[in-house]
Amino acid sequence: MSEDFTQFYYHQPLIHHDDDHRRNNYSAAAASITFSADHSSVVHHDNLQSFDPSYLSFTEFLHGSCTGHDSFLDAAFGLSPSISSAVKEERTPVVEAAGGGETPATPNSSISSSSTEAAAAAAAGDEDSNKGKKEVAKETEDDSSKKLDVKAKKKGGKKAREARFAFMTKSEVDHLEDGYRWRKYGQKAVKNSPYPRSYYRCTTQKCPVKKRVERSFQDPSTVITTYEGQHNHHVPVTLRGNMAPAGVVFAPPPLLEGPSIPAHQQLLAQMPQYLYSTSNVYDKDHPQFLQYQLSELQDVIPPVFPKHET
DNA sequence: CGGATTTGACCGGCGC
DNA sequence: GCGCCGGTCAAATCCG
């Protein structure tokens, strides 16, 4: 299937299906996506060609509105990509599902990461990213009990990590708008990188979602965003102007802990709207989503991050 | 004035 | 045990 991996790249030219909402050139399909700003390449593959983001939200898509997704997702998450050939230089976003155990340890070289750090490392070429183990999850995040929470999770031993996924975006702005409201709560220098990492928390009350944003030091034009946790609310609709991408119509539903929804699908549903909506509020900055591919990653996966060979 | 950001301090985990 | 590092806190500051 390594060869098939390229199938998951989906070059989506302009979706002019709708009006101003979908003005941008980016749209996504499925677990692995190539965002392309140029309209030249349109690659429809068997399992993708029925997908039209303008009709179907990514979430719906993931949740089975389209046929053949199981296999699709399986493929996507177990992907054994030879993306290296397809997109050598491009970054490989990663999904990390927490708590899972049955990881299909991505057999492959291109996309394998046991942690977000690894993902970042992939972009940054940093190998000592195997420190992702200290990741711990928070079930809830009470403002009043953050410290206690921290201690609690330590006391109780290691908890399952929050589901996380990272993706890389070509953009000049660090903090890409995704429809949610975030509050920055920290910034740290990243080892082996001149660029700092910023920490954001969803400002919605009780929402435990956090994200980290850093810039790839190998490719400064690439921003690595790592989401952690699941939103328990809808995308704020009261966002004004530049706060809300016009295309939040594809906002993912709040992720309910429905046991029926596989973790990886939940993760996918967490994708920021701009990944699958077709609006781009950063006109001036022209973020370009180079590509997107997901794989279910878990601790068992060696954080070996193949540097894009070449 | 309220909310967001900045930034140094602090804490815990991990490797040596 | 110690030092490094990632992640978080929280006071100070900024900004609309």
Side-chain angles (χ1 to χ4, degrees), chain A residues 1-269:
Chain A
M1 127 123 39
S2 55
E3 185 107 27
D4 298 342
F5 178 76
T6 54
Q7 289 186 1
F8 297 122
Y9 286 91
Y10 180 78
H11 289 254
Q12 175 65 48
L14 271 179
I15 299 291
H16 28 339
H17 184 268
D18 208 345
D19 35 81
D20 41 61
H21 285 235
R22 323 227 155 119
R23 227 173 316 155
N24 91 6
N25 311 342
Y26 319 110
S27 53
S32 206
I33 301 152
T34 297
F35 293 89
S36 175
D38 81 320
H39 311 173
S40 56
S41 54
V42 185
V43 181
H44 283 202
H45 287 287
D46 295 339
N47 50 349
L48 288 178
Q49 56 189 180
S50 61
F51 178 75
D52 181 346
S54 48
Y55 290 101
L56 186 66
S57 81
F58 189 71
T59 300
E60 288 170 337
F61 175 71
L62 291 171
H63 287 195
S65 297
C66 289
T67 57
H69 288 332
D70 284 346
S71 56
F72 176 82
L73 285 171
D74 286 349
F77 284 102
L79 79 187
S80 58
S82 47
I83 46 169
S84 47
S85 58
V87 269
K88 309 184 176 168
E89 297 274 278
E90 319 291 37
R91 299 285 68 77
T92 59
V94 181
V95 160
E96 171 176 341
E102 71 286 351
T103 297
T106 62
N108 180 318
S109 38
S110 305
I111 319 182
S112 62
S113 161
S114 65
S115 71
T116 301
E117 285 77 13
D126 179 9
E127 284 128 33
D128 68 348
S129 54
N130 3 355
K131 298 198 166 190
K133 14 191 157 152
K134 56 172 70 171
E135 312 294 4
V136 275
K138 293 181 181 175
E139 303 287 11
T140 62
E141 185 148 349
D142 252 2
D143 271 345
S144 57
S145 60
K146 274 181 188 150
K147 284 191 175 176
L148 293 177
D149 193 9
V150 171
K151 288 180 181 172
K153 64 184 175 188
K154 316 253 166 156
K155 269 193 175 177
K158 289 187 180 178
K159 279 182 164 183
R161 293 185 293 182
E162 285 281 359
R164 302 196 303 177
F165 78 81
F167 61 91
M168 295 155 205
T169 306
K170 191 145 199 161
S171 171
E172 301 196 358
V173 293
D174 287 345
H175 191 194
L176 297 166
E177 205 46 66
D178 58 7
Y180 290 94
R181 302 250 297 154
W182 301 94
R183 192 171 84 86
K184 190 175 185 176
Y185 66 90
Q187 176 172 305
K188 290 285 287 186
V190 179
K191 199 185 168 200
N192 295 330
S193 171
Y195 305 102
R197 172 184 298 146
S198 297
Y199 298 87
Y200 297 88
R201 216 190 314 266
C202 183
T203 60
T204 302
Q205 274 199 345
K206 301 279 182 87
C207 181
V209 179
K210 295 176 210 166
K211 76 172 178 182
R212 293 183 297 215
V213 177
E214 63 187 282
R215 198 165 278 281
S216 165
F217 104 91
Q218 278 197 337
D219 181 7
S221 63
T222 298
V223 173
I224 302 163
T225 304
T226 304
Y227 284 82
E228 178 172 339
Q230 303 175 351
H231 290 285
N232 55 14
H233 58 94
H234 288 280
V235 173
V237 289
T238 56
L239 299 172
R240 340 142 271 217
N242 56 349
M243 292 307 301
V248 286
V249 291
F250 289 135
L255 298 175
L256 307 175
E257 332 30 296
S260 55
I261 304 176
H264 56 278
Q265 291 191 16
Q266 291 196 7
L267 281 168
L268 288 171

Side-chain angles (χ1 to χ4, degrees), chain A residues 242-292:
Chain A
N242 56 349
M243 292 307 301
V248 286
V249 291
F250 289 135
L255 298 175
L256 307 175
E257 332 30 296
S260 55
I261 304 176
H264 56 278
Q265 291 191 16
Q266 291 196 7
L267 281 168
L268 288 171
Q270 288 286 305
M271 286 177 67
Q273 288 76 62
Y274 58 75
L275 288 177
Y276 50 96
S277 70
T278 55
S279 174
N280 175 12
V281 293
Y282 289 112
D283 269 349
K284 62 177 161 95
D285 295 302
H286 295 306
Q288 296 178 15
F289 307 108
L290 292 178
Q291 64 175 283
Y292 197 110

